[in-house]
Amino acid sequence: MSDSISVGANRTAPASPAAPAADAPDPRRWWGLVVIALAQLMVVLDATIVNIALPSAQTALGMSDANRQWVITSYTLAFGGLLLLGGRVADLVGRKRTFIIGLIGFALASALGGAAQSSGMLFGARALQGVFGALLAPSALSLMTTTFTDPRERGKAFGIYGALAGAGGAVGLLLGGVLTSYLNWRWCLYVNIPIAIVAVIGAVILLHDRAGHKDIKLDVPGVILGCGGLVAIVYGFSEAEPRGWGDSMVVSLLAGGAVLLLAFVFWQTRAKSPLLPLRILKDRNRAGCFLTMGLATIGMFGLFLFMTYYLQGILGYSPVRTGLAFLPMSVAIIIGSTQISARLLPKVPARALMVPGMVLAAGGLLILTQLGVDSSYVSHVLPAELILGLGMGLTFMPVFSTATSGIRPQDAGVTSAMVNTSQQVGGSLGTALLNTIATSATGSYIATHMTDPSKKDQVVAAGIVHGYTHAIWYAVGAMLLAGVCAAVLVNAKPQAARH
């Protein structure tokens, strides 16, 4: 157990009869992990579960093509922009309390979205999901951090957590396909309600937490600058696809977001109780983990978008078959995270897993750069998924564990929020960036090759695939850059050697 966590534990009041002794592990901690894992899965899969249901929702609510993106964007904007605030709230009022509030709010927002009778009502519900997800995700990870401190147990627990973080997006696509095909699109939102109910009951019974740190004050200027900057940048990238990178609104949002974030960093050096204590970023291992996570998810979430449209639009798969096609990648992520990383992390340095993981992931994406209109799932897509999934599994688990290791108890929430922020912002930026690159490449290809009007359909299909493969090259570069960040910045010793 790290010194900082030990000191924090010794300062707490005597445990209540229902709680475990301060110096003894909670005998029900693995059941508590199930509760935390359920909540994490719900938050992660909700970023993708509505993707496959979106065409049905658009028809049912009469959304325009220009507005349909807000079903995704309203969630990612609220979630990515408010994560740091959610992490600080968890530190202030207590992680368990914040966790339960986040679960209840997420369930209510999901019910509102499932019952939506207009596009505006659905957009608002998705934004509310993002708000409560921003409370839920950092409190879940910080509960993990303070519950599992033994190196071997920590490895197993974070292996499971990392597997969910990596596989949750693919699970969302599968679940979205099944629910849309056999029920209707509304169940892609309603499904969160029973998950949240089970998680709330489990949290009340199984999870324990120290009281909040009353010495922490909410940094209001930091909230405005930091959250405003993140929202502006995520919004700018999301608008770049329909409007173009040169659009004045896009440029203003990106430039304004950058200015706000610079002002945020400046303010954090002077605030008495900063929203993001810069000592967290000064640690090279945490900084390396944040960068690795952000760059890795740029490639991964962009891939989900392309492969969904490739499988359905080019290969003619149904929503259910599309979801099933992602399942091998989820299995590979779970194997890489729980059976390889979790077993090796106590014995080897984190970067010995992260660097090979990113190289493997880049190799998997490299296979997809060779896709054609007539490529088969078995020969091209399946091998790429397995290699990519294994690489992501090797990487995600040590990222989560290393980034949250040895932190002061009063910083657990905000550090956990930074890991989630890296993942969410990376995914949002990757989807917008790679989609814009793909769309531009497709337009150029069609304009160049459309010489025979009788072959229009073939040229359009070839142009779409060309756009995907062109953009995937950039995803390969993002994965390799993530590997470089891990190699250069992450120098943490094996976890067993630190205890």
Side-chain angles (χ1 to χ4, degrees):
M1 185 181 294
S2 66
D3 292 338
S4 59
I5 294 177
S6 296
V7 171
N10 290 337
R11 288 176 179 170
T12 57
S16 64
D23 58 350
D26 184 350
R28 298 182 297 179
R29 61 196 177 280
W30 293 105
W31 284 108
L33 174 61
V34 173
V35 173
I36 296 170
L38 269 178
Q40 171 66 9
L41 179 62
M42 184 175 67
V43 170
V44 174
L45 66 82
D46 228 69
T48 57
I49 192 171
V50 298
N51 282 21
I52 293 179
L54 188 52
S56 299
Q58 181 180 359
T59 301
L61 300 180
M63 294 181 221
S64 67
D65 288 344
N67 287 336
R68 65 184 178 187
Q69 61 155 326
W70 282 102
V71 176
I72 309 298
T73 306
S74 57
Y75 179 80
T76 57
L77 276 176
F79 187 47
L82 296 174
L83 270 167
L84 282 177
L85 176 60
R88 219 50 180 157
V89 169
D91 290 332
L92 175 63
V93 305
R95 301 171 194 100
K96 177 178 175 179
R97 183 180 299 172
T98 307
F99 183 78
I100 293 172
I101 292 170
L103 282 170
I104 294 171
F106 203 94
L108 292 175
S110 299
L112 181 65
Q117 299 301 309
S118 67
S119 57
M121 185 176 175
L122 179 58
F123 300 157
R126 288 286 287 166
L128 272 179
Q129 280 186 307
V131 170
F132 286 105
L135 289 176
L136 186 57
S139 57
L141 183 53
S142 55
L143 280 168
M144 282 273 296
T145 302
T146 53
T147 299
F148 295 94
T149 53
D150 177 82
R152 293 190 178 277
E153 287 196 347
R154 185 179 175 88
K156 293 176 184 177
F158 275 86
I160 295 169
Y161 193 90
L164 288 174
V171 172
L173 294 171
L174 170 59
L175 191 57
V178 171
L179 293 173
T180 302
S181 295
Y182 295 111
L183 294 171
N184 62 51
W185 66 270
R186 297 181 184 276
W187 280 95
C188 291
L189 293 155
Y190 286 146
V191 70
N192 293 319
I193 299 172
I195 296 175
I197 290 173
V198 171
V200 167
I201 294 171
V204 171
I205 297 172
L206 298 169
L207 296 182
H208 302 286
D209 186 31
R210 305 177 184 96
H213 296 272
K214 301 303 181 184
D215 57 315
I216 295 174
K217 305 297 182 184
L218 284 184
D219 174 17
V220 177
V223 170
I224 295 171
L225 293 172
C227 297
L230 284 175
V231 167
I233 287 179
V234 174
Y235 185 22
F237 272 89
S238 68
E239 287 294 301
E241 191 275 321
R243 294 175 178 269
W245 290 102
D247 181 81
S248 59
M249 179 179 176
V250 172
V251 172
S252 299
L253 283 168
L254 294 178
V259 170
L260 286 173
L261 289 181
L262 286 174
F264 170 75
V265 173
F266 176 78
W267 171 252
Q268 295 307 283
T269 64
R270 285 158 173 74
K272 292 182 178 180
S273 185
L275 181 66
L276 175 62
L278 295 184
R279 60 180 174 270
I280 293 172
L281 298 180
K282 289 178 181 177
D283 184 288
R284 62 182 292 170
N285 287 297
R286 291 195 185 97
C289 287
F290 297 151
L291 284 172
T292 301
M293 174 63 82
L295 290 166
T297 50
I298 282 177
M300 186 173 180
F301 277 81
L303 173 73
F304 285 152
L305 179 71
F306 296 145
M307 294 313 300
T308 297
Y309 280 97
Y310 179 80
L311 293 171
Q312 293 192 55
I314 303 299
L315 299 187
Y317 281 22
S318 67
V320 173
R321 192 178 179 189
T322 300
L324 289 171
F326 282 102
L327 198 56
M329 183 165 69
S330 298
V331 173
I333 290 172
I334 292 170
I335 291 172
S337 186
T338 63
Q339 301 304 309
I340 301 176
S341 285
R343 295 175 185 270
L344 292 179
L345 188 60
K347 305 173 184 177
V348 303
R351 66 180 171 189
L353 296 168
M354 293 164 65
V355 175
M358 287 293 88
V359 172
L360 271 177
L365 289 173
L366 199 62
I367 296 174
L368 294 177
T369 62
Q370 306 306 308
L371 280 177
V373 175
D374 299 320
S375 298
S376 74
Y377 174 79
V378 173
S379 64
H380 283 75
V381 179
L382 180 59
E385 283 190 5
L386 293 173
I387 295 172
L388 173 65
L390 188 62
M392 297 304 286
L394 284 174
T395 303
F396 275 175
M397 182 266 166
V399 163
F400 280 117
S401 184
T402 303
T404 58
S405 178
I407 56 177
R408 305 193 320 175
Q410 60 266 43
D411 291 335
V414 72
T415 304
S416 302
M418 270 302 299
V419 183
N420 282 284
T421 298
S422 301
Q423 182 182 14
Q424 185 63 32
V425 173
S428 299
L429 299 187
T431 299
L433 176 63
L434 297 181
N435 195 39
T436 300
I437 292 170
T439 302
S440 300
T442 294
S444 299
Y445 182 96
I446 293 174
T448 304
H449 292 78
M450 188 63 76
T451 55
D452 184 352
S454 65
K455 297 182 178 179
K456 178 181 178 181
D457 291 345
Q458 294 95 313
V459 171
V460 170
I464 290 172
V465 176
H466 169 75
Y468 295 162
T469 57
H470 182 75
I472 289 172
W473 277 107
Y474 288 85
V476 171
M479 291 292 188
L480 291 176
L481 186 56
V484 171
C485 290
V488 173
L489 293 173
V490 180
N491 65 353
K493 297 177 180 179
Q495 286 192 358
R498 285 182 258 158
H499 292 259

